[in-house]
PDB file of all heavy atoms in Angstrom:
ATOM      1  N   ALA A 367       5.170  44.556  14.660  1.00 98.00           N
ATOM      2  CA  ALA A 367       6.182  43.618  15.184  1.00 98.00           C
ATOM      3  C   ALA A 367       5.844  43.236  16.625  1.00 98.00           C
ATOM      4  O   ALA A 367       5.985  42.069  17.011  1.00 98.00           O
ATOM      5  CB  ALA A 367       7.570  44.247  15.109  1.00 98.00           C
ATOM      6  N   TRP A 368       5.387  44.205  17.424  1.00 98.00           N
ATOM      7  CA  TRP A 368       5.038  43.885  18.819  1.00 98.00           C
ATOM      8  C   TRP A 368       3.831  42.953  18.862  1.00 98.00           C
ATOM      9  O   TRP A 368       3.796  41.972  19.606  1.00 98.00           O
ATOM     10  CB  TRP A 368       4.766  45.165  19.602  1.00 98.00           C
ATOM     11  CG  TRP A 368       4.459  44.912  21.042  1.00 98.00           C
ATOM     12  CD1 TRP A 368       3.241  45.051  21.658  1.00 98.00           C
ATOM     13  CD2 TRP A 368       5.363  44.455  22.058  1.00 98.00           C
ATOM     14  NE1 TRP A 368       3.333  44.707  22.987  1.00 98.00           N
ATOM     15  CE2 TRP A 368       4.628  44.336  23.264  1.00 98.00           C
ATOM     16  CE3 TRP A 368       6.718  44.118  22.075  1.00 98.00           C
ATOM     17  CZ2 TRP A 368       5.203  43.903  24.456  1.00 98.00           C
ATOM     18  CZ3 TRP A 368       7.285  43.696  23.269  1.00 98.00           C
ATOM     19  CH2 TRP A 368       6.535  43.594  24.434  1.00 98.00           C
ATOM     20  N   PHE A 369       2.845  43.249  18.031  1.00 98.00           N
ATOM     21  CA  PHE A 369       1.664  42.373  17.961  1.00 98.00           C
ATOM     22  C   PHE A 369       2.095  40.967  17.518  1.00 98.00           C
ATOM     23  O   PHE A 369       1.590  39.968  17.991  1.00 98.00           O
ATOM     24  CB  PHE A 369       0.637  42.932  16.973  1.00 98.00           C
ATOM     25  CG  PHE A 369      -0.368  43.882  17.595  1.00 98.00           C
ATOM     26  CD1 PHE A 369      -0.029  44.687  18.670  1.00 98.00           C
ATOM     27  CD2 PHE A 369      -1.664  43.968  17.097  1.00 98.00           C
ATOM     28  CE1 PHE A 369      -0.955  45.563  19.243  1.00 98.00           C
ATOM     29  CE2 PHE A 369      -2.600  44.824  17.658  1.00 98.00           C
ATOM     30  CZ  PHE A 369      -2.251  45.628  18.726  1.00 98.00           C
ATOM     31  N   TRP A 370       2.998  40.942  16.571  1.00 98.00           N
ATOM     32  CA  TRP A 370       3.446  39.648  16.033  1.00 98.00           C
ATOM     33  C   TRP A 370       4.001  38.763  17.150  1.00 98.00           C
ATOM     34  O   TRP A 370       3.773  37.565  17.201  1.00 98.00           O
ATOM     35  CB  TRP A 370       4.516  39.882  14.957  1.00 98.00           C
ATOM     36  CG  TRP A 370       4.960  38.616  14.303  1.00 98.00           C
ATOM     37  CD1 TRP A 370       6.121  37.928  14.525  1.00 98.00           C
ATOM     38  CD2 TRP A 370       4.220  37.850  13.345  1.00 98.00           C
ATOM     39  NE1 TRP A 370       6.150  36.784  13.762  1.00 98.00           N
ATOM     40  CE2 TRP A 370       4.990  36.719  13.027  1.00 98.00           C
ATOM     41  CE3 TRP A 370       2.986  38.029  12.718  1.00 98.00           C
ATOM     42  CZ2 TRP A 370       4.573  35.751  12.117  1.00 98.00           C
ATOM     43  CZ3 TRP A 370       2.560  37.069  11.810  1.00 98.00           C
ATOM     44  CH2 TRP A 370       3.347  35.949  11.519  1.00 98.00           C
ATOM     45  N   ASP A 371       4.707  39.394  18.079  1.00 96.00           N
ATOM     46  CA  ASP A 371       5.340  38.627  19.147  1.00 96.00           C
ATOM     47  C   ASP A 371       4.379  38.312  20.295  1.00 96.00           C
ATOM     48  O   ASP A 371       4.581  37.347  21.019  1.00 96.00           O
ATOM     49  CB  ASP A 371       6.544  39.422  19.680  1.00 96.00           C
ATOM     50  CG  ASP A 371       7.579  38.517  20.312  1.00 96.00           C
ATOM     51  OD1 ASP A 371       7.603  37.321  19.968  1.00 96.00           O
ATOM     52  OD2 ASP A 371       8.349  38.993  21.154  1.00 96.00           O
ATOM     53  N   THR A 372       3.344  39.118  20.467  1.00 96.00           N
ATOM     54  CA  THR A 372       2.528  38.980  21.681  1.00 96.00           C
ATOM     55  C   THR A 372       1.117  38.429  21.431  1.00 96.00           C
ATOM     56  O   THR A 372       0.433  38.077  22.387  1.00 96.00           O
ATOM     57  CB  THR A 372       2.404  40.343  22.395  1.00 96.00           C
ATOM     58  OG1 THR A 372       1.959  41.306  21.446  1.00 96.00           O
ATOM     59  CG2 THR A 372       3.728  40.791  22.994  1.00 96.00           C
ATOM     60  N   LEU A 373       0.680  38.381  20.175  1.00 98.00           N
ATOM     61  CA  LEU A 373      -0.670  37.874  19.885  1.00 98.00           C
ATOM     62  C   LEU A 373      -0.656  36.359  19.721  1.00 98.00           C
ATOM     63  O   LEU A 373       0.213  35.837  19.009  1.00 98.00           O
ATOM     64  CB  LEU A 373      -1.192  38.445  18.559  1.00 98.00           C
ATOM     65  CG  LEU A 373      -1.844  39.820  18.523  1.00 98.00           C
ATOM     66  CD1 LEU A 373      -2.109  40.232  17.075  1.00 98.00           C
ATOM     67  CD2 LEU A 373      -3.146  39.867  19.322  1.00 98.00           C
ATOM     68  N   VAL A 374      -1.628  35.689  20.313  1.00 98.00           N
ATOM     69  CA  VAL A 374      -1.747  34.253  20.004  1.00 98.00           C
ATOM     70  C   VAL A 374      -2.333  34.046  18.608  1.00 98.00           C
ATOM     71  O   VAL A 374      -2.207  32.969  18.035  1.00 98.00           O
ATOM     72  CB  VAL A 374      -2.607  33.477  21.049  1.00 98.00           C
ATOM     73  CG1 VAL A 374      -1.852  33.264  22.339  1.00 98.00           C
ATOM     74  CG2 VAL A 374      -3.957  34.127  21.288  1.00 98.00           C
ATOM     75  N   ASP A 375      -3.001  35.086  18.062  1.00 98.00           N
ATOM     76  CA  ASP A 375      -3.579  34.938  16.717  1.00 98.00           C
ATOM     77  C   ASP A 375      -2.720  35.621  15.646  1.00 98.00           C
ATOM     78  O   ASP A 375      -3.207  35.867  14.531  1.00 98.00           O
ATOM     79  CB  ASP A 375      -5.022  35.459  16.672  1.00 98.00           C
ATOM     80  CG  ASP A 375      -5.149  36.963  16.939  1.00 98.00           C
ATOM     81  OD1 ASP A 375      -4.188  37.705  16.714  1.00 98.00           O
ATOM     82  OD2 ASP A 375      -6.242  37.388  17.371  1.00 98.00           O
ATOM     83  N   ALA A 376      -1.431  35.938  15.978  1.00 98.00           N
ATOM     84  CA  ALA A 376      -0.588  36.671  15.025  1.00 98.00           C
ATOM     85  C   ALA A 376      -0.645  36.004  13.646  1.00 98.00           C
ATOM     86  O   ALA A 376      -0.302  34.835  13.512  1.00 98.00           O
ATOM     87  CB  ALA A 376       0.850  36.717  15.532  1.00 98.00           C
ATOM     88  N   ASP A 377      -1.059  36.767  12.670  1.00 98.00           N
ATOM     89  CA  ASP A 377      -1.303  36.216  11.336  1.00 98.00           C
ATOM     90  C   ASP A 377      -0.740  37.222  10.336  1.00 98.00           C
ATOM     91  O   ASP A 377      -1.100  38.406  10.386  1.00 98.00           O
ATOM     92  CB  ASP A 377      -2.824  36.070  11.160  1.00 98.00           C
ATOM     93  CG  ASP A 377      -3.195  35.455   9.838  1.00 98.00           C
ATOM     94  OD1 ASP A 377      -3.241  36.196   8.823  1.00 98.00           O
ATOM     95  OD2 ASP A 377      -3.452  34.243   9.810  1.00 98.00           O
ATOM     96  N   LEU A 378       0.167  36.762   9.471  1.00 98.00           N
ATOM     97  CA  LEU A 378       0.887  37.724   8.628  1.00 98.00           C
ATOM     98  C   LEU A 378      -0.069  38.556   7.773  1.00 98.00           C
ATOM     99  O   LEU A 378       0.114  39.764   7.629  1.00 98.00           O
ATOM    100  CB  LEU A 378       1.899  36.999   7.738  1.00 98.00           C
ATOM    101  CG  LEU A 378       2.959  37.928   7.143  1.00 98.00           C
ATOM    102  CD1 LEU A 378       3.807  38.576   8.221  1.00 98.00           C
ATOM    103  CD2 LEU A 378       3.849  37.176   6.171  1.00 98.00           C
ATOM    104  N   ALA A 379      -1.097  37.930   7.230  1.00 98.00           N
ATOM    105  CA  ALA A 379      -2.020  38.670   6.361  1.00 98.00           C
ATOM    106  C   ALA A 379      -2.861  39.642   7.187  1.00 98.00           C
ATOM    107  O   ALA A 379      -2.898  40.847   6.911  1.00 98.00           O
ATOM    108  CB  ALA A 379      -2.915  37.688   5.609  1.00 98.00           C
ATOM    109  N   ALA A 380      -3.536  39.130   8.227  1.00 98.00           N
ATOM    110  CA  ALA A 380      -4.464  39.976   8.996  1.00 98.00           C
ATOM    111  C   ALA A 380      -3.716  41.069   9.748  1.00 98.00           C
ATOM    112  O   ALA A 380      -4.161  42.221   9.802  1.00 98.00           O
ATOM    113  CB  ALA A 380      -5.268  39.125   9.974  1.00 98.00           C
ATOM    114  N   ASN A 381      -2.566  40.733  10.314  1.00 98.00           N
ATOM    115  CA  ASN A 381      -1.830  41.728  11.105  1.00 98.00           C
ATOM    116  C   ASN A 381      -1.300  42.846  10.206  1.00 98.00           C
ATOM    117  O   ASN A 381      -1.458  44.025  10.511  1.00 98.00           O
ATOM    118  CB  ASN A 381      -0.683  41.039  11.851  1.00 98.00           C
ATOM    119  CG  ASN A 381      -0.145  41.883  12.988  1.00 98.00           C
ATOM    120  OD1 ASN A 381      -0.895  42.529  13.730  1.00 98.00           O
ATOM    121  ND2 ASN A 381       1.164  41.909  13.146  1.00 98.00           N
ATOM    122  N   SER A 382      -0.717  42.461   9.076  1.00 98.00           N
ATOM    123  CA  SER A 382      -0.137  43.483   8.196  1.00 98.00           C
ATOM    124  C   SER A 382      -1.231  44.358   7.604  1.00 98.00           C
ATOM    125  O   SER A 382      -1.125  45.592   7.601  1.00 98.00           O
ATOM    126  CB  SER A 382       0.641  42.828   7.050  1.00 98.00           C
ATOM    127  OG  SER A 382       1.494  41.828   7.533  1.00 98.00           O
ATOM    128  N   ALA A 383      -2.297  43.728   7.109  1.00 97.00           N
ATOM    129  CA  ALA A 383      -3.367  44.516   6.482  1.00 97.00           C
ATOM    130  C   ALA A 383      -4.033  45.419   7.521  1.00 97.00           C
ATOM    131  O   ALA A 383      -4.366  46.573   7.233  1.00 97.00           O
ATOM    132  CB  ALA A 383      -4.398  43.584   5.840  1.00 97.00           C
ATOM    133  N   SER A 384      -4.217  44.913   8.746  1.00 97.00           N
ATOM    134  CA  SER A 384      -4.897  45.712   9.765  1.00 97.00           C
ATOM    135  C   SER A 384      -4.039  46.889  10.205  1.00 97.00           C
ATOM    136  O   SER A 384      -4.545  47.990  10.409  1.00 97.00           O
ATOM    137  CB  SER A 384      -5.240  44.857  10.983  1.00 97.00           C
ATOM    138  OG  SER A 384      -6.114  43.821  10.616  1.00 97.00           O
TER     139      SER A 384
END
Side-chain angles (χ1 to χ4, degrees):
W368 182 251
F369 270 31
W370 184 257
D371 205 23
T372 52
L373 276 173
V374 285
D375 64 25
D377 182 278
L378 197 63
N381 197 41
S382 312
S384 298

